[in-house]
Amino acid sequence: MRLSQCHNFQDFRKLAKKRLPSPIFNYIDGAADDEVTYRNNTRAFERCDLIPSVLAGTQEIDLSVTVMGQKLAMPFYCSPTALQRLFHHQGEMAVAAAAEKYGTMFGVSSLGTASIEHIAENFDCPQMYQFYFHKDRGLNKAMLERAKEAGVPIMALTVDSITGGNRERDLRTGFSIPLRLTLGGMLSFAIHPMWGINYVTHEKFRLPQLEEHIGMKGGATTTVSDYFTNMLDPTMNWKDVEELVKIWDGEFCLKGIMSAEDARRAVDIGCTGVIVSNHGGRQLDGSSSTFDQLKEVVDEVGDEIDVLFDSGVQRGTHVLKALSIGAKAVGGGRSYLFPLAAAGQPGVERALGLMREELERDMRLMGCQNIGELGRKNLRFR
Ligand SMILES: Cc1cc2nc3c(=O)[nH]c(=O)nc-3n(C[C@H](O)[C@H](O)[C@H](O)COP(=O)(O)O)c2cc1C
């Protein structure tokens, strides 16, 4: 299978599976516990149908949206994800370049393998910086200051990960950073030599947002899971976050909001956005699908702040359904990570290009010219 034969999410997934050692593929593909929420995220879109308007005289389609002060040429963006350099040696550079090409937003993870400064200096795409809340308040402040200095316009605090999700596929393969593989995991690396050759012949794996703080520099001593256990603060609360929002004094959203009540509290502490997300089913298995939660969040706060959405999105029609409910923009994780793993920058560009084509075609078929024309009148729930 080649890149030109990839036409949808499942095709990219298949190609990524072929190219990656299984511990890495399963780190991307896997989710928590029985992966019920992971599956339900995508299935939820199938319980709701689009109703097109015909003879609408639709002319040029305008896919642009404005989210948290940033104009995106299309309403689909790349959600922040960790460790991209492991999936393909081009890592974040490939994703940022593709986001720039399609005029959309790139979420940089605090567990990213490229620095926020490098991305901000070299790529002209709106940048969202995702970070976690540490026990060390000084470190939190320092990270915000660093992002401000780099010129990052949107801060996103992930609130659904105060402890790591139970990813049993990773336990089976021995996936951790640094890698501590089981025998089966090692064998899989041996039968994917190209991945290893690319990994060792390109830029060194780093976590530039965190290396000063977790002992990654010059010989890793801490695993990423130790970082979650020892450095993040599982007791963070609304008061703590209110302080951060004040310090940041700009566009600030909470990533991982699942209820109207929490969305209301986000508004109360001064957030300018929320991302309805369950981390792609990687944290609390058995939690509701994000699509099922979107309506109550939009009804509660959609008139006051921007509601963004992710988890389970694989298709243009999924994006249109979320926008019809009232999301301002829709993110994807695996939908660009599999293309990245499959083919680097050309892979991500192909995935974003296909998404744009799908959105344009589907908007036309819906009889809508601008994203603002989408609404709940377009939807029927079964
Ligand atoms: C491999 C992988 C790594 C991720 N890393 C992060 C991260 O570092 N920070 C974060 O807030 N979310 C992270 N996420 C969650 C994504 O931002 C996003 O919420 C999720 O992927 C959406 O679900 P989807 O993959 O079904 O599109 C990660 C997701 C995946 C698949």
Side-chain angles (χ1 to χ4, degrees):
M1 188 182 211
R2 290 191 311 273
L3 181 61
S4 59
Q5 294 168 312
C6 291
H7 302 292
N8 62 32
F9 181 92
Q10 294 303 338
D11 295 339
F12 286 115
R13 180 178 176 278
K14 261 188 225 143
L15 189 53
K17 188 171 186 182
K18 226 168 107 184
R19 298 263 159 98
L20 287 175
S22 88
I24 297 182
F25 172 79
N26 282 301
Y27 170 68
I28 303 174
D29 194 48
D33 293 4
D34 300 310
E35 306 189 346
V36 174
T37 298
Y38 177 24
R39 288 190 294 277
N40 205 23
N41 275 339
T42 305
R43 283 184 189 156
F45 293 110
E46 292 171 19
R47 298 194 284 268
C48 166
D49 299 308
L50 289 165
I51 307 295
S53 299
V54 297
L55 303 178
T58 310
Q59 299 186 2
E60 275 299 286
I61 307 291
D62 179 2
L63 290 177
S64 67
V65 289
T66 300
V67 195
M68 301 186 79
Q70 300 298 310
K71 183 153 186 197
L72 315 187
M74 67 173 176
F76 179 82
Y77 67 92
C78 300
S79 289
T81 58
L83 312 177
Q84 292 177 17
R85 163 92 175 72
L86 270 192
F87 314 148
H88 188 279
H89 59 270
Q90 295 169 346
E92 282 81 359
M93 292 341 138
V95 183
E100 178 183 78
K101 179 168 174 183
Y102 287 95
T104 195
M105 183 161 73
F106 176 41
V108 184
S109 167
S110 51
L111 289 168
T113 54
S115 76
I116 42 173
E117 291 83 3
H118 186 82
I119 304 282
E121 277 160 26
N122 292 283
F123 301 95
D124 184 19
C125 55
Q127 197 177 337
M128 165 192 280
Y129 179 49
Q130 173 276 321
F131 94 124
Y132 293 109
F133 190 82
H134 301 83
K135 286 178 189 154
D136 178 349
R137 304 299 198 258
L139 172 55
N140 290 331
K141 230 174 134 188
M143 287 179 83
L144 292 191
E145 274 161 19
R146 180 175 166 182
K148 205 41 132 203
E149 239 159 68
V152 172
I154 301 175
M155 181 57 63
L157 175 70
T158 299
V159 290
D160 58 17
S161 305
I162 48 174
T163 184
N166 178 37
R167 321 237 176 104
E168 292 178 3
R169 294 202 217 183
D170 296 347
L171 298 179
R172 271 181 223 113
T173 62
F175 181 90
S176 75
I177 296 297
L179 291 165
R180 288 176 184 165
L181 298 174
T182 58
L183 187 62
M186 275 187 245
L187 279 178
S188 173
F189 277 81
I191 58 175
H192 291 89
M194 269 325 285
W195 180 91
I197 290 167
N198 279 325
Y199 184 72
V200 295
T201 55
H202 291 87
E203 211 185 313
K204 197 170 171 300
F205 179 89
R206 295 172 52 212
L207 296 175
Q209 269 68 256
L210 289 174
E211 59 194 3
E212 299 291 340
H213 314 292
I214 64 170
M216 272 268 167
K217 226 176 181 180
T221 52
T222 315
T223 65
V224 166
S225 110
D226 292 337
Y227 162 74
F228 270 86
T229 314
N230 301 326
M231 293 193 64
L232 298 187
D233 186 353
T235 69
M236 76 167 164
N237 60 35
W238 290 100
K239 194 95 207 97
D240 295 323
V241 180
E242 186 171 15
E243 271 168 42
L244 283 190
V245 175
K246 281 209 183 87
I247 294 171
W248 179 252
D249 191 24
E251 300 286 350
F252 195 113
C253 64
L254 301 184
K255 178 172 180 285
I257 291 295
M258 289 288 283
S259 71
E261 292 80 10
D262 280 352
R264 172 53 51 203
R265 296 186 86 166
V267 173
D268 292 343
I269 63 164
C271 290
T272 55
V274 288
I275 307 179
V276 177
S277 169
N278 57 28
H279 221 103
R282 296 163 74 82
Q283 289 298 108
L284 179 65
D285 194 35
S287 67
S288 180
S289 80
T290 47
F291 189 62
D292 287 328
Q293 292 314 107
L294 180 59
K295 181 174 174 296
E296 70 170 63
V297 173
V298 170
D299 287 345
E300 181 69 29
V301 301
D303 289 344
E304 297 162 68
I305 59 173
D306 285 348
V307 177
L308 284 74
F309 172 90
D310 77 23
S311 298
V313 174
Q314 299 180 359
R315 277 284 180 199
T317 49
H318 299 164
V319 175
L320 293 192
K321 286 175 183 177
L323 295 170
S324 297
I325 290 189
K328 289 279 165 16
V330 174
R334 298 175 184 90
S335 55
Y336 75 87
L337 288 180
F338 288 138
L340 171 68
Q345 186 177 332
V348 187
E349 286 184 0
R350 182 167 173 86
L352 291 183
L354 288 171
M355 176 56 87
R356 188 173 69 185
E357 273 174 33
E358 281 190 25
L359 288 170
E360 260 174 24
R361 183 189 309 113
D362 296 337
M363 283 285 284
R364 198 173 288 286
L365 290 170
M366 287 293 294
C368 293
Q369 214 161 298
N370 305 301
I371 298 296
E373 289 171 26
L374 293 168
R376 294 193 189 165
K377 63 183 189 317
N378 307 133
L379 298 177
R380 297 290 183 280
F381 284 87
R382 293 186 197 164

